[in-house]
mmCIF file of all heavy atoms in Angstrom:
data_model
loop_
_atom_site.group_PDB
_atom_site.id
_atom_site.type_symbol
_atom_site.label_atom_id
_atom_site.label_comp_id
_atom_site.label_asym_id
_atom_site.label_seq_id
_atom_site.Cartn_x
_atom_site.Cartn_y
_atom_site.Cartn_z
ATOM 1 N N ARG T 5 -97.230 44.650 64.456
ATOM 2 C CA ARG T 5 -98.597 44.776 63.866
ATOM 3 C C ARG T 5 -99.560 43.899 64.653
ATOM 4 O O ARG T 5 -100.696 44.241 64.812
ATOM 5 C CB ARG T 5 -98.508 44.398 62.423
ATOM 6 C CG ARG T 5 -97.816 45.447 61.525
ATOM 7 C CD ARG T 5 -98.038 45.140 60.028
ATOM 8 N NE ARG T 5 -99.422 45.132 59.723
ATOM 9 C CZ ARG T 5 -100.160 46.161 59.420
ATOM 10 N NH1 ARG T 5 -99.640 47.367 59.527
ATOM 11 N NH2 ARG T 5 -101.454 46.037 59.138
ATOM 12 N N MET T 6 -99.142 42.738 65.114
ATOM 13 C CA MET T 6 -100.039 41.908 65.917
ATOM 14 C C MET T 6 -100.450 42.608 67.187
ATOM 15 O O MET T 6 -101.630 42.586 67.553
ATOM 16 C CB MET T 6 -99.324 40.521 66.210
ATOM 17 C CG MET T 6 -99.202 39.625 65.018
ATOM 18 S SD MET T 6 -98.335 38.044 65.459
ATOM 19 C CE MET T 6 -99.610 37.306 66.487
ATOM 20 N N ALA T 7 -99.481 43.214 67.797
ATOM 21 C CA ALA T 7 -99.776 43.957 69.076
ATOM 22 C C ALA T 7 -100.760 45.094 68.774
ATOM 23 O O ALA T 7 -101.673 45.335 69.471
ATOM 24 C CB ALA T 7 -98.460 44.472 69.674
ATOM 25 N N ALA T 8 -100.464 45.813 67.634
ATOM 26 C CA ALA T 8 -101.326 46.923 67.309
ATOM 27 C C ALA T 8 -102.745 46.483 66.935
ATOM 28 O O ALA T 8 -103.736 47.099 67.443
ATOM 29 C CB ALA T 8 -100.757 47.698 66.068
ATOM 30 N N ASN T 9 -102.942 45.444 66.228
ATOM 31 C CA ASN T 9 -104.200 44.901 65.890
ATOM 32 C C ASN T 9 -104.963 44.417 67.106
ATOM 33 O O ASN T 9 -106.192 44.668 67.229
ATOM 34 C CB ASN T 9 -104.144 43.796 64.846
ATOM 35 C CG ASN T 9 -103.728 44.247 63.436
ATOM 36 O OD1 ASN T 9 -104.058 45.382 63.058
ATOM 37 N ND2 ASN T 9 -102.986 43.450 62.719
ATOM 38 N N THR T 10 -104.242 43.719 68.012
ATOM 39 C CA THR T 10 -104.928 43.235 69.254
ATOM 40 C C THR T 10 -105.397 44.416 70.052
ATOM 41 O O THR T 10 -106.527 44.441 70.588
ATOM 42 C CB THR T 10 -103.916 42.425 70.065
ATOM 43 O OG1 THR T 10 -103.480 41.322 69.253
ATOM 44 C CG2 THR T 10 -104.594 41.919 71.302
ATOM 45 N N ALA T 11 -104.528 45.477 70.155
ATOM 46 C CA ALA T 11 -104.872 46.675 70.952
ATOM 47 C C ALA T 11 -106.113 47.386 70.320
ATOM 48 O O ALA T 11 -107.043 47.843 71.006
ATOM 49 C CB ALA T 11 -103.717 47.602 71.000
ATOM 50 N N SER T 12 -106.173 47.408 69.002
ATOM 51 C CA SER T 12 -107.253 48.158 68.353
ATOM 52 C C SER T 12 -108.553 47.399 68.576
ATOM 53 O O SER T 12 -109.642 47.990 68.828
ATOM 54 C CB SER T 12 -106.958 48.269 66.823
ATOM 55 O OG SER T 12 -105.839 49.075 66.627
ATOM 56 N N ILE T 13 -108.526 46.060 68.412
ATOM 57 C CA ILE T 13 -109.728 45.263 68.676
ATOM 58 C C ILE T 13 -110.230 45.443 70.125
ATOM 59 O O ILE T 13 -111.425 45.670 70.389
ATOM 60 C CB ILE T 13 -109.497 43.786 68.409
ATOM 61 C CG1 ILE T 13 -109.137 43.556 66.928
ATOM 62 C CG2 ILE T 13 -110.671 42.914 68.816
ATOM 63 C CD1 ILE T 13 -108.658 42.218 66.682
ATOM 64 N N THR T 14 -109.278 45.310 71.092
ATOM 65 C CA THR T 14 -109.673 45.493 72.496
ATOM 66 C C THR T 14 -110.154 46.903 72.755
ATOM 67 O O THR T 14 -111.155 47.028 73.528
ATOM 68 C CB THR T 14 -108.422 45.196 73.369
ATOM 69 O OG1 THR T 14 -107.863 43.937 73.031
ATOM 70 C CG2 THR T 14 -108.735 45.235 74.860
ATOM 71 N N GLY T 15 -109.501 47.886 72.166
ATOM 72 C CA GLY T 15 -110.022 49.259 72.425
ATOM 73 C C GLY T 15 -111.374 49.491 71.934
ATOM 74 O O GLY T 15 -112.190 50.204 72.570
ATOM 75 N N THR T 16 -111.695 48.936 70.680
ATOM 76 C CA THR T 16 -113.065 49.140 70.157
ATOM 77 C C THR T 16 -114.104 48.510 71.113
ATOM 78 O O THR T 16 -115.147 49.132 71.345
ATOM 79 C CB THR T 16 -113.111 48.467 68.781
ATOM 80 O OG1 THR T 16 -112.139 49.135 67.892
ATOM 81 C CG2 THR T 16 -114.475 48.687 68.164
ATOM 82 N N ALA T 17 -113.840 47.291 71.582
ATOM 83 C CA ALA T 17 -114.759 46.614 72.410
ATOM 84 C C ALA T 17 -114.909 47.345 73.782
ATOM 85 O O ALA T 17 -115.992 47.558 74.299
ATOM 86 C CB ALA T 17 -114.272 45.170 72.713
ATOM 87 N N LEU T 18 -113.756 47.842 74.277
ATOM 88 C CA LEU T 18 -113.765 48.557 75.515
ATOM 89 C C LEU T 18 -114.556 49.901 75.376
ATOM 90 O O LEU T 18 -115.298 50.290 76.238
ATOM 91 C CB LEU T 18 -112.341 48.860 75.998
ATOM 92 C CG LEU T 18 -112.161 49.668 77.267
ATOM 93 C CD1 LEU T 18 -112.808 48.930 78.488
ATOM 94 C CD2 LEU T 18 -110.647 49.962 77.541
ATOM 95 N N GLY T 19 -114.355 50.551 74.165
ATOM 96 C CA GLY T 19 -115.093 51.804 73.950
ATOM 97 C C GLY T 19 -116.586 51.639 74.019
ATOM 98 O O GLY T 19 -117.308 52.415 74.572
ATOM 99 N N GLY T 20 -117.062 50.540 73.379
ATOM 100 C CA GLY T 20 -118.460 50.258 73.430
ATOM 101 C C GLY T 20 -118.987 50.033 74.821
ATOM 102 O O GLY T 20 -120.086 50.553 75.208
ATOM 103 N N MET T 21 -118.199 49.307 75.633
ATOM 104 C CA MET T 21 -118.712 49.124 77.014
ATOM 105 C C MET T 21 -118.655 50.349 77.821
ATOM 106 O O MET T 21 -119.574 50.657 78.630
ATOM 107 C CB MET T 21 -117.775 48.040 77.696
ATOM 108 C CG MET T 21 -117.929 46.613 77.138
ATOM 109 S SD MET T 21 -117.019 45.367 78.030
ATOM 110 C CE MET T 21 -115.361 45.793 77.566
ATOM 111 N N LEU T 22 -117.597 51.164 77.680
ATOM 112 C CA LEU T 22 -117.524 52.429 78.449
ATOM 113 C C LEU T 22 -118.663 53.448 78.040
ATOM 114 O O LEU T 22 -119.274 54.058 78.911
ATOM 115 C CB LEU T 22 -116.185 53.115 78.205
ATOM 116 C CG LEU T 22 -114.914 52.455 78.861
ATOM 117 C CD1 LEU T 22 -113.633 53.051 78.354
ATOM 118 C CD2 LEU T 22 -115.057 52.570 80.348
ATOM 119 N N VAL T 23 -118.878 53.627 76.706
ATOM 120 C CA VAL T 23 -119.915 54.503 76.273
ATOM 121 C C VAL T 23 -121.292 54.062 76.808
ATOM 122 O O VAL T 23 -122.075 54.899 77.276
ATOM 123 C CB VAL T 23 -119.958 54.567 74.780
ATOM 124 C CG1 VAL T 23 -121.194 55.299 74.281
ATOM 125 C CG2 VAL T 23 -118.704 55.340 74.233
ATOM 126 N N ALA T 24 -121.561 52.747 76.786
ATOM 127 C CA ALA T 24 -122.863 52.205 77.216
ATOM 128 C C ALA T 24 -122.961 52.225 78.720
ATOM 129 O O ALA T 24 -124.070 52.527 79.266
ATOM 130 C CB ALA T 24 -123.034 50.779 76.731
ATOM 131 N N GLY T 25 -121.867 52.012 79.386
ATOM 132 C CA GLY T 25 -121.869 51.892 80.852
ATOM 133 C C GLY T 25 -121.714 53.167 81.644
ATOM 134 O O GLY T 25 -122.522 53.446 82.578
ATOM 135 N N VAL T 26 -120.746 53.977 81.276
ATOM 136 C CA VAL T 26 -120.467 55.164 82.069
ATOM 137 C C VAL T 26 -120.515 56.470 81.289
ATOM 138 O O VAL T 26 -120.329 57.573 81.837
ATOM 139 C CB VAL T 26 -119.137 55.109 82.811
ATOM 140 C CG1 VAL T 26 -119.163 53.950 83.860
ATOM 141 C CG2 VAL T 26 -117.987 54.806 81.826
ATOM 142 N N GLY T 27 -120.655 56.380 79.943
ATOM 143 C CA GLY T 27 -120.746 57.611 79.132
ATOM 144 C C GLY T 27 -119.505 57.877 78.330
ATOM 145 O O GLY T 27 -118.434 57.413 78.720
ATOM 146 N N PRO T 28 -119.633 58.630 77.218
ATOM 147 C CA PRO T 28 -118.510 58.855 76.344
ATOM 148 C C PRO T 28 -117.380 59.648 76.947
ATOM 149 O O PRO T 28 -116.247 59.562 76.565
ATOM 150 C CB PRO T 28 -119.146 59.649 75.154
ATOM 151 C CG PRO T 28 -120.431 60.180 75.704
ATOM 152 C CD PRO T 28 -120.876 59.223 76.735
ATOM 153 N N GLY T 29 -117.744 60.516 77.907
ATOM 154 C CA GLY T 29 -116.628 61.338 78.568
ATOM 155 C C GLY T 29 -115.550 60.502 79.192
ATOM 156 O O GLY T 29 -114.370 60.801 79.047
ATOM 157 N N TRP T 30 -115.997 59.388 79.903
ATOM 158 C CA TRP T 30 -114.989 58.569 80.542
ATOM 159 C C TRP T 30 -114.213 57.800 79.507
ATOM 160 O O TRP T 30 -113.072 57.349 79.776
ATOM 161 C CB TRP T 30 -115.670 57.631 81.549
ATOM 162 C CG TRP T 30 -116.172 58.470 82.723
ATOM 163 C CD1 TRP T 30 -117.431 58.796 83.029
ATOM 164 C CD2 TRP T 30 -115.335 58.967 83.765
ATOM 165 N NE1 TRP T 30 -117.478 59.545 84.179
ATOM 166 C CE2 TRP T 30 -116.203 59.666 84.633
ATOM 167 C CE3 TRP T 30 -113.979 58.915 83.941
ATOM 168 C CZ2 TRP T 30 -115.672 60.355 85.755
ATOM 169 C CZ3 TRP T 30 -113.464 59.649 85.117
ATOM 170 C CH2 TRP T 30 -114.350 60.339 85.956
ATOM 171 N N GLY T 31 -114.813 57.493 78.379
ATOM 172 C CA GLY T 31 -114.031 56.828 77.273
ATOM 173 C C GLY T 31 -112.915 57.738 76.842
ATOM 174 O O GLY T 31 -111.827 57.249 76.545
#
């Protein structure tokens, strides 16, 4: 569960950067 929670947090932050930086398609 710790690994899953860490991955989910990181993924959410990464998603925001990808959508803002290169667009939702690359996300």
Side-chain angles (χ1 to χ4, degrees):
R5 290 189 58 82
M6 287 179 69
N9 288 329
T10 302
S12 296
I13 295 170
T14 306
T16 301
L18 179 61
M21 291 187 290
L22 288 171
V23 168
V26 295
W30 289 105

